[in-house]
Amino acid sequence: MRISRVLTASVVAVGLFSLAACAQQEPAPTPVIAPVTLDVGDLQGQTVDLVVGQVLNINTGDLAVDSYSGEVSDTAVAEFTAGREEGGTVFNPGVTALAEGSTTVVLENSDGGIQPVTFTVDVTG
């Protein structure tokens, strides 16, 4: 009888401790995915590997960040974001990986004299 009381007390104590531990746990933080930064001149004919949620940050060098437009062939896989200047801050153009797959991206520059830049984005989970 004495052993069963000790065993019962131990089971209850372990159960209460487990519940208390569960109640105090914070949700796991969402991992931060660092962007990939490449120069626009290095993209021609290349394949850029991204994971879902990752961004390709395109460095335009001496050309205005808002002079580039982009077309993504499969907009379910990735999307183009135009560059801009806002409040004294410069935001480069970029491509955001949305879902697993592969797509072609074509960048054009409105300043003229520059050939379109065509590259592939491969996105994994």
Side-chain angles (χ1 to χ4, degrees):
M1 178 108 143
R2 186 170 191 192
I3 292 177
S4 66
R5 285 184 186 170
V6 171
L7 184 56
T8 302
S10 296
V11 169
V12 170
V14 168
L16 290 174
F17 179 74
S18 296
L19 289 174
C22 289
Q24 294 175 1
Q25 289 182 355
E26 294 182 25
T30 304
V32 175
I33 303 170
V36 173
T37 300
L38 295 172
D39 292 338
V40 70
D42 294 336
L43 288 172
Q44 186 69 274
Q46 297 299 312
T47 297
V48 179
D49 295 319
L50 301 174
V51 296
V52 174
Q54 193 170 31
V55 174
L56 168 61
N57 178 46
I58 302 169
N59 182 5
T60 62
D62 293 336
L63 300 174
V65 294
D66 59 357
S67 66
Y68 279 92
S69 61
E71 185 173 325
V72 178
S73 62
D74 188 345
T75 56
V77 173
E79 70 178 350
F80 175 79
T81 303
R84 67 190 188 287
E85 292 188 37
E86 190 175 294
T89 303
V90 177
F91 297 90
N92 288 336
V95 177
T96 303
L98 302 175
E100 290 186 28
S102 184
T103 188
T104 301
V105 178
V106 179
L107 299 178
E108 294 188 1
N109 190 285
S110 63
D111 290 344
I114 299 171
Q115 288 186 323
V117 176
T118 303
F119 61 97
T120 301
V121 173
D122 284 341
V123 180
T124 58

